Amino acid sequence: MKQWKIGLLALVAGVGMAGGVQAGEVEMHFQPLDKYRDLGRTTVEREDIQKSLSEHFQKLAAARLPAGQTLKIDLLEINRAGEMDMRRGMPDEVRVLREVTWPQMDFTFAVVEGGKELKSGKAALSDMNYLHGTSARYNDGDPLRYEKPMIDKWFDTEFGKKAASR
């Protein structure tokens, strides 16, 4: 079973590399997960969101940064789209989306190659038009469907658009 998984990962990595020689990596650094304003309510939810954020940054870096470069991200704060609202008679909280509850994310970043810092800065992302924007390209079940387009836009600005979208 493990050999199958390793083979599948190698195949997926090979297919991803077939379009070009890009293969940058990401190092995501998080504060203690309970310190964020809106990473999630439970430990499991916070860990899932952390994993999804890391995977999304990694996917973008692998496609846009050259091999040998590492994008280091230190997530300072996240406030996901909407807000939790406990409805009477319902067992769980519900995330309610409103015009005034747009997603926000703050992080510092550095691009490093061979121990040398090539680029660094601080990003303060927000999308006040998130209800009318580009979240449609992400699955309705994706808990970060409103945050990922902000990250995509930031990547386009910092590292150039993907060749396929030019």
Side-chain angles (χ1 to χ4, degrees):
M1 183 69 163
K2 283 188 177 185
Q3 289 177 338
W4 177 81
K5 287 182 181 178
I6 292 170
L8 178 62
L9 289 174
L11 175 65
V12 170
V15 169
M17 298 291 288
V21 294
Q22 310 294 56
E25 296 182 11
V26 167
E27 287 181 18
M28 289 284 299
H29 301 277
F30 292 86
Q31 299 178 41
L33 298 182
D34 61 342
K35 300 297 182 196
Y36 294 105
R37 187 179 330 164
D38 189 15
L39 194 63
R41 297 282 185 192
T42 67
T43 301
V44 171
E45 184 183 11
R46 288 189 292 264
E47 289 172 354
D48 287 348
I49 297 295
Q50 174 188 9
K51 180 180 176 191
S52 184
L53 274 173
S54 297
E55 288 172 350
H56 192 67
F57 273 103
Q58 180 59 53
K59 178 181 127 191
L60 293 170
R64 310 269 185 97
L65 297 178
Q69 288 188 2
T70 300
L71 173 62
K72 295 183 177 189
I73 300 283
D74 186 7
L75 185 66
L76 303 173
E77 185 59 86
I78 184 168
N79 187 15
R80 293 167 43 212
E83 61 187 0
M84 299 309 289
D85 188 13
M86 185 62 147
R87 301 289 180 175
R88 295 185 194 270
M90 295 182 74
D92 295 322
E93 292 177 301
V94 176
R95 185 167 289 274
V96 177
L97 305 175
R98 295 184 179 99
E99 294 285 337
V100 297
T101 58
W102 61 84
Q104 299 170 318
M105 184 181 304
D106 297 326
F107 57 88
T108 59
F109 71 95
V111 178
V112 178
E113 183 174 25
K116 182 180 176 188
E117 186 176 285
L118 304 176
K119 182 179 197 174
S120 65
K122 184 173 181 177
L125 311 183
S126 66
D127 183 1
M128 293 173 70
N129 294 314
Y130 78 103
L131 290 173
H132 310 288
T134 57
S135 65
R137 70 182 142 190
Y138 293 101
N139 182 316
D140 283 344
D142 187 337
L144 295 172
R145 68 186 164 278
Y146 299 107
E147 291 74 19
K148 286 179 178 179
M150 290 188 323
I151 297 168
D152 296 347
K153 185 177 178 181
W154 175 80
F155 242 89
D156 288 349
T157 301
E158 287 294 325
F159 304 107
K161 293 189 179 221
K162 290 191 282 191
S165 64
R166 285 185 183 165

